[in-house]
Amino acid sequence: MAEPRRGPRVGLFVTCLVDLFRPTVGFAAVKLLEDAGCTVEVPRDQTCCGQPAYNAGDRATAQDLARRTIAAFEGFDHVVVPSGSCGGMIRKHYPALLADDPAWAPRARHVAARTHELVSFLVDVLGVTAVDARYDDTVTYHDSCSGLRELGVKAQPRQLLASVQGVEMTELPEAEVCCGFGGTFCVKYPDISNRMVEDKAANVASTGAGTLLAGDVGCLLNIAGKLKRQGSPVKVRHVAEVLSGLADETPPIGDTAR
């Protein structure tokens, strides 16, 4: 008797911000992937993808972190990341970062070609068209820069959100404009960053939506912080929390009470 065909073996790259600030996103990603038929593993050797060092010009540290990530994930069918930012770093920048290292360049290309942002992987690779979830609110969506521009994540989250019972979608004005986080950008240029997130918060308020969603925890922390300081009632969540049906299991970002 032939063995039953198993789904793809996926390595989940959790990301630093998910691990330290929003573990629910990791659990939501696992649920979505398993519901889609994947076998999911979370390598214990993973650390940072190296993007902060890369953006700061510390090439040596970025290369060391890239090698560590590649070694941890190269045995999987796919690497999936609930973040366009970290996903873009691995998929778009690792091959160039290690291009001059003959031992690691082909390994970097191998892992990069198999790395995907979470929602894009569900829709574009696995062919998922709907999820079994409910979320009773009007939502709006911020397109995070790296996911949008490096990985082409735009229609995929909206397609799956349309299948969530109870969701009413309203588009965010200037959804593709940066929120001002930009990793180290908000540290280097705090005044510019603050003005950008003020504009983003104003656009969120203009929609009348009760919940803001996005695919990157960095953007969500930045926008949630501004909305919270303004006394806004808008809830802020990672899109995976809503798509997985786990939103009720944790407070919105920036809130402490259930």
Side-chain angles (χ1 to χ4, degrees), residues 40-71:
V40 184
E41 298 178 36
V42 183
R44 295 178 63 86
D45 289 342
Q46 65 180 291
T47 55
C48 177
C49 70
Q51 188 186 68
Y54 179 77
N55 289 342
D58 185 354
R59 188 177 180 87
T61 297
Q63 288 173 326
D64 287 344
L65 289 167
R67 293 184 186 101
R68 183 182 182 98
T69 300
I70 291 165

mmCIF file of all heavy atoms in Angstrom, residues 40-71:
data_model
loop_
_atom_site.group_PDB
_atom_site.id
_atom_site.type_symbol
_atom_site.label_atom_id
_atom_site.label_comp_id
_atom_site.label_asym_id
_atom_site.label_seq_id
_atom_site.Cartn_x
_atom_site.Cartn_y
_atom_site.Cartn_z
ATOM 1 N N VAL A 40 4.467 21.667 9.880
ATOM 2 C CA VAL A 40 5.172 22.893 10.276
ATOM 3 C C VAL A 40 6.171 22.602 11.384
ATOM 4 O O VAL A 40 5.844 21.922 12.367
ATOM 5 C CB VAL A 40 4.177 23.976 10.754
ATOM 6 C CG1 VAL A 40 4.919 25.274 11.057
ATOM 7 C CG2 VAL A 40 3.097 24.207 9.710
ATOM 8 N N GLU A 41 7.376 23.115 11.217
ATOM 9 C CA GLU A 41 8.406 23.026 12.249
ATOM 10 C C GLU A 41 8.983 24.417 12.493
ATOM 11 O O GLU A 41 9.015 25.256 11.570
ATOM 12 C CB GLU A 41 9.519 22.065 11.831
ATOM 13 C CG GLU A 41 9.035 20.624 11.616
ATOM 14 C CD GLU A 41 10.145 19.711 11.155
ATOM 15 O OE1 GLU A 41 11.301 19.904 11.615
ATOM 16 O OE2 GLU A 41 9.863 18.818 10.339
ATOM 17 N N VAL A 42 9.424 24.643 13.724
ATOM 18 C CA VAL A 42 10.021 25.927 14.096
ATOM 19 C C VAL A 42 11.445 25.656 14.576
ATOM 20 O O VAL A 42 11.660 25.279 15.727
ATOM 21 C CB VAL A 42 9.202 26.625 15.204
ATOM 22 C CG1 VAL A 42 9.798 28.001 15.521
ATOM 23 C CG2 VAL A 42 7.744 26.760 14.794
ATOM 24 N N PRO A 43 12.447 25.791 13.700
ATOM 25 C CA PRO A 43 13.823 25.486 14.095
ATOM 26 C C PRO A 43 14.273 26.303 15.297
ATOM 27 O O PRO A 43 14.104 27.525 15.327
ATOM 28 C CB PRO A 43 14.633 25.852 12.845
ATOM 29 C CG PRO A 43 13.663 25.731 11.719
ATOM 30 C CD PRO A 43 12.347 26.174 12.283
ATOM 31 N N ARG A 44 14.861 25.629 16.261
ATOM 32 C CA ARG A 44 15.287 26.304 17.479
ATOM 33 C C ARG A 44 16.528 27.167 17.262
ATOM 34 O O ARG A 44 16.813 28.069 18.056
ATOM 35 C CB ARG A 44 15.566 25.270 18.572
ATOM 36 C CG ARG A 44 14.329 24.512 19.014
ATOM 37 C CD ARG A 44 14.667 23.458 20.068
ATOM 38 N NE ARG A 44 15.189 24.044 21.289
ATOM 39 C CZ ARG A 44 14.442 24.491 22.298
ATOM 40 N NH1 ARG A 44 13.122 24.409 22.223
ATOM 41 N NH2 ARG A 44 14.990 24.994 23.372
ATOM 42 N N ASP A 45 17.285 26.906 16.207
ATOM 43 C CA ASP A 45 18.525 27.649 15.975
ATOM 44 C C ASP A 45 18.307 29.008 15.327
ATOM 45 O O ASP A 45 19.261 29.764 15.139
ATOM 46 C CB ASP A 45 19.466 26.827 15.087
ATOM 47 C CG ASP A 45 20.049 25.624 15.816
ATOM 48 O OD1 ASP A 45 20.010 25.617 17.065
ATOM 49 O OD2 ASP A 45 20.531 24.701 15.137
ATOM 50 N N GLN A 46 17.076 29.333 14.944
ATOM 51 C CA GLN A 46 16.846 30.603 14.276
ATOM 52 C C GLN A 46 17.009 31.774 15.245
ATOM 53 O O GLN A 46 16.706 31.677 16.429
ATOM 54 C CB GLN A 46 15.459 30.642 13.649
ATOM 55 C CG GLN A 46 14.309 30.599 14.642
ATOM 56 C CD GLN A 46 12.966 30.647 13.923
ATOM 57 O OE1 GLN A 46 12.590 31.664 13.352
ATOM 58 N NE2 GLN A 46 12.247 29.527 13.953
ATOM 59 N N THR A 47 17.514 32.873 14.695
ATOM 60 C CA THR A 47 17.612 34.112 15.480
ATOM 61 C C THR A 47 17.091 35.246 14.587
ATOM 62 O O THR A 47 16.077 35.091 13.936
ATOM 63 C CB THR A 47 19.061 34.381 15.929
ATOM 64 O OG1 THR A 47 19.913 34.391 14.779
ATOM 65 C CG2 THR A 47 19.538 33.327 16.902
ATOM 66 N N CYS A 48 17.779 36.357 14.565
ATOM 67 C CA CYS A 48 17.400 37.481 13.705
ATOM 68 C C CYS A 48 17.776 37.193 12.256
ATOM 69 O O CYS A 48 18.775 36.509 11.987
ATOM 70 C CB CYS A 48 18.114 38.743 14.201
ATOM 71 S SG CYS A 48 17.841 40.226 13.205
ATOM 72 N N CYS A 49 17.014 37.724 11.312
ATOM 73 C CA CYS A 49 17.333 37.549 9.891
ATOM 74 C C CYS A 49 18.534 38.390 9.475
ATOM 75 O O CYS A 49 19.101 38.173 8.403
ATOM 76 C CB CYS A 49 16.124 37.895 9.025
ATOM 77 S SG CYS A 49 15.708 39.671 8.999
ATOM 78 N N GLY A 50 18.893 39.381 10.285
ATOM 79 C CA GLY A 50 20.041 40.230 9.976
ATOM 80 C C GLY A 50 19.698 41.567 9.361
ATOM 81 O O GLY A 50 20.591 42.371 9.071
ATOM 82 N N GLN A 51 18.415 41.842 9.192
ATOM 83 C CA GLN A 51 18.037 43.087 8.516
ATOM 84 C C GLN A 51 18.501 44.348 9.257
ATOM 85 O O GLN A 51 18.983 45.293 8.611
ATOM 86 C CB GLN A 51 16.533 43.139 8.281
ATOM 87 C CG GLN A 51 16.118 44.318 7.420
ATOM 88 C CD GLN A 51 14.618 44.454 7.295
ATOM 89 O OE1 GLN A 51 13.950 44.761 8.266
ATOM 90 N NE2 GLN A 51 14.106 44.211 6.103
ATOM 91 N N PRO A 52 18.363 44.441 10.593
ATOM 92 C CA PRO A 52 18.845 45.667 11.266
ATOM 93 C C PRO A 52 20.325 45.927 11.013
ATOM 94 O O PRO A 52 20.731 47.062 10.750
ATOM 95 C CB PRO A 52 18.554 45.397 12.746
ATOM 96 C CG PRO A 52 17.395 44.448 12.723
ATOM 97 C CD PRO A 52 17.644 43.557 11.547
ATOM 98 N N ALA A 53 21.136 44.871 11.086
ATOM 99 C CA ALA A 53 22.569 45.035 10.812
ATOM 100 C C ALA A 53 22.796 45.421 9.350
ATOM 101 O O ALA A 53 23.616 46.294 9.041
ATOM 102 C CB ALA A 53 23.312 43.741 11.138
ATOM 103 N N TYR A 54 22.054 44.789 8.456
ATOM 104 C CA TYR A 54 22.171 45.075 7.025
ATOM 105 C C TYR A 54 21.842 46.531 6.733
ATOM 106 O O TYR A 54 22.574 47.218 6.016
ATOM 107 C CB TYR A 54 21.234 44.139 6.267
ATOM 108 C CG TYR A 54 21.218 44.309 4.766
ATOM 109 C CD1 TYR A 54 22.259 43.810 3.990
ATOM 110 C CD2 TYR A 54 20.142 44.919 4.132
ATOM 111 C CE1 TYR A 54 22.237 43.944 2.613
ATOM 112 C CE2 TYR A 54 20.119 45.057 2.747
ATOM 113 C CZ TYR A 54 21.163 44.567 1.991
ATOM 114 O OH TYR A 54 21.124 44.699 0.628
ATOM 115 N N ASN A 55 20.757 47.023 7.298
ATOM 116 C CA ASN A 55 20.347 48.407 7.066
ATOM 117 C C ASN A 55 21.296 49.417 7.703
ATOM 118 O O ASN A 55 21.395 50.559 7.256
ATOM 119 C CB ASN A 55 18.937 48.635 7.598
ATOM 120 C CG ASN A 55 17.884 47.943 6.754
ATOM 121 O OD1 ASN A 55 18.136 47.575 5.617
ATOM 122 N ND2 ASN A 55 16.708 47.756 7.315
ATOM 123 N N ALA A 56 21.984 48.984 8.758
ATOM 124 C CA ALA A 56 22.927 49.868 9.440
ATOM 125 C C ALA A 56 24.315 49.846 8.794
ATOM 126 O O ALA A 56 25.213 50.561 9.226
ATOM 127 C CB ALA A 56 23.038 49.479 10.911
ATOM 128 N N GLY A 57 24.502 49.010 7.788
ATOM 129 C CA GLY A 57 25.793 48.933 7.113
ATOM 130 C C GLY A 57 26.770 47.966 7.737
ATOM 131 O O GLY A 57 27.936 47.903 7.327
ATOM 132 N N ASP A 58 26.312 47.169 8.716
ATOM 133 C CA ASP A 58 27.186 46.189 9.358
ATOM 134 C C ASP A 58 27.109 44.888 8.557
ATOM 135 O O ASP A 58 26.427 43.937 8.927
ATOM 136 C CB ASP A 58 26.734 45.968 10.807
ATOM 137 C CG ASP A 58 27.664 45.047 11.580
ATOM 138 O OD1 ASP A 58 28.601 44.481 10.979
ATOM 139 O OD2 ASP A 58 27.439 44.868 12.798
ATOM 140 N N ARG A 59 27.812 44.861 7.459
ATOM 141 C CA ARG A 59 27.724 43.755 6.513
ATOM 142 C C ARG A 59 28.196 42.435 7.125
ATOM 143 O O ARG A 59 27.600 41.378 6.892
ATOM 144 C CB ARG A 59 28.545 44.080 5.265
ATOM 145 C CG ARG A 59 28.381 43.082 4.131
ATOM 146 C CD ARG A 59 29.179 43.541 2.908
ATOM 147 N NE ARG A 59 29.033 42.609 1.799
ATOM 148 C CZ ARG A 59 28.053 42.662 0.913
ATOM 149 N NH1 ARG A 59 27.140 43.609 1.011
ATOM 150 N NH2 ARG A 59 28.001 41.781 -0.069
ATOM 151 N N ALA A 60 29.248 42.479 7.929
ATOM 152 C CA ALA A 60 29.799 41.250 8.495
ATOM 153 C C ALA A 60 28.785 40.559 9.410
ATOM 154 O O ALA A 60 28.588 39.339 9.335
ATOM 155 C CB ALA A 60 31.091 41.550 9.255
ATOM 156 N N THR A 61 28.145 41.344 10.274
ATOM 157 C CA THR A 61 27.140 40.754 11.167
ATOM 158 C C THR A 61 25.947 40.241 10.372
ATOM 159 O O THR A 61 25.417 39.164 10.652
ATOM 160 C CB THR A 61 26.675 41.796 12.198
ATOM 161 O OG1 THR A 61 27.788 42.180 13.013
ATOM 162 C CG2 THR A 61 25.581 41.217 13.097
ATOM 163 N N ALA A 62 25.511 41.004 9.369
ATOM 164 C CA ALA A 62 24.393 40.560 8.534
ATOM 165 C C ALA A 62 24.725 39.252 7.836
ATOM 166 O O ALA A 62 23.871 38.350 7.739
ATOM 167 C CB ALA A 62 24.050 41.641 7.509
ATOM 168 N N GLN A 63 25.937 39.112 7.355
ATOM 169 C CA GLN A 63 26.340 37.873 6.695
ATOM 170 C C GLN A 63 26.359 36.704 7.675
ATOM 171 O O GLN A 63 25.913 35.593 7.350
ATOM 172 C CB GLN A 63 27.716 38.047 6.055
ATOM 173 C CG GLN A 63 27.703 38.931 4.827
ATOM 174 C CD GLN A 63 29.105 39.230 4.316
ATOM 175 O OE1 GLN A 63 30.048 39.352 5.099
ATOM 176 N NE2 GLN A 63 29.238 39.385 3.013
ATOM 177 N N ASP A 64 26.865 36.928 8.882
ATOM 178 C CA ASP A 64 26.880 35.856 9.888
ATOM 179 C C ASP A 64 25.465 35.389 10.218
ATOM 180 O O ASP A 64 25.200 34.189 10.333
ATOM 181 C CB ASP A 64 27.575 36.346 11.165
ATOM 182 C CG ASP A 64 29.077 36.469 11.010
ATOM 183 O OD1 ASP A 64 29.624 35.901 10.035
ATOM 184 O OD2 ASP A 64 29.710 37.143 11.849
ATOM 185 N N LEU A 65 24.540 36.340 10.378
ATOM 186 C CA LEU A 65 23.165 35.986 10.685
ATOM 187 C C LEU A 65 22.484 35.305 9.495
ATOM 188 O O LEU A 65 21.672 34.386 9.679
ATOM 189 C CB LEU A 65 22.388 37.231 11.105
ATOM 190 C CG LEU A 65 22.769 37.793 12.469
ATOM 191 C CD1 LEU A 65 22.188 39.189 12.669
ATOM 192 C CD2 LEU A 65 22.302 36.868 13.587
ATOM 193 N N ALA A 66 22.836 35.720 8.289
ATOM 194 C CA ALA A 66 22.290 35.066 7.101
ATOM 195 C C ALA A 66 22.747 33.616 7.038
ATOM 196 O O ALA A 66 21.941 32.706 6.757
ATOM 197 C CB ALA A 66 22.714 35.823 5.849
ATOM 198 N N ARG A 67 24.012 33.365 7.295
ATOM 199 C CA ARG A 67 24.515 31.986 7.267
ATOM 200 C C ARG A 67 23.818 31.129 8.320
ATOM 201 O O ARG A 67 23.466 29.967 8.066
ATOM 202 C CB ARG A 67 26.033 31.975 7.486
ATOM 203 C CG ARG A 67 26.836 32.607 6.358
ATOM 204 C CD ARG A 67 28.330 32.466 6.588
ATOM 205 N NE ARG A 67 29.099 33.186 5.581
ATOM 206 C CZ ARG A 67 29.653 34.375 5.764
ATOM 207 N NH1 ARG A 67 29.536 34.987 6.945
ATOM 208 N NH2 ARG A 67 30.328 34.960 4.793
ATOM 209 N N ARG A 68 23.598 31.688 9.489
ATOM 210 C CA ARG A 68 22.924 30.936 10.548
ATOM 211 C C ARG A 68 21.492 30.603 10.136
ATOM 212 O O ARG A 68 21.019 29.480 10.355
ATOM 213 C CB ARG A 68 22.922 31.762 11.840
ATOM 214 C CG ARG A 68 22.317 31.041 13.033
ATOM 215 C CD ARG A 68 22.287 31.923 14.267
ATOM 216 N NE ARG A 68 21.754 31.204 15.408
ATOM 217 C CZ ARG A 68 22.481 30.626 16.342
ATOM 218 N NH1 ARG A 68 23.808 30.683 16.281
ATOM 219 N NH2 ARG A 68 21.915 29.988 17.354
ATOM 220 N N THR A 69 20.814 31.561 9.545
ATOM 221 C CA THR A 69 19.434 31.332 9.104
ATOM 222 C C THR A 69 19.385 30.284 8.003
ATOM 223 O O THR A 69 18.532 29.381 8.014
ATOM 224 C CB THR A 69 18.816 32.647 8.611
ATOM 225 O OG1 THR A 69 18.831 33.603 9.678
ATOM 226 C CG2 THR A 69 17.385 32.436 8.141
ATOM 227 N N ILE A 70 20.268 30.396 7.047
ATOM 228 C CA ILE A 70 20.302 29.433 5.939
ATOM 229 C C ILE A 70 20.541 28.025 6.463
ATOM 230 O O ILE A 70 19.854 27.063 6.062
ATOM 231 C CB ILE A 70 21.395 29.833 4.930
ATOM 232 C CG1 ILE A 70 20.986 31.118 4.205
ATOM 233 C CG2 ILE A 70 21.662 28.708 3.937
ATOM 234 C CD1 ILE A 70 22.131 31.784 3.463
ATOM 235 N N ALA A 71 21.496 27.865 7.364
ATOM 236 C CA ALA A 71 21.793 26.542 7.915
ATOM 237 C C ALA A 71 20.590 25.953 8.649
ATOM 238 O O ALA A 71 20.358 24.741 8.610
ATOM 239 C CB ALA A 71 22.996 26.634 8.855
#
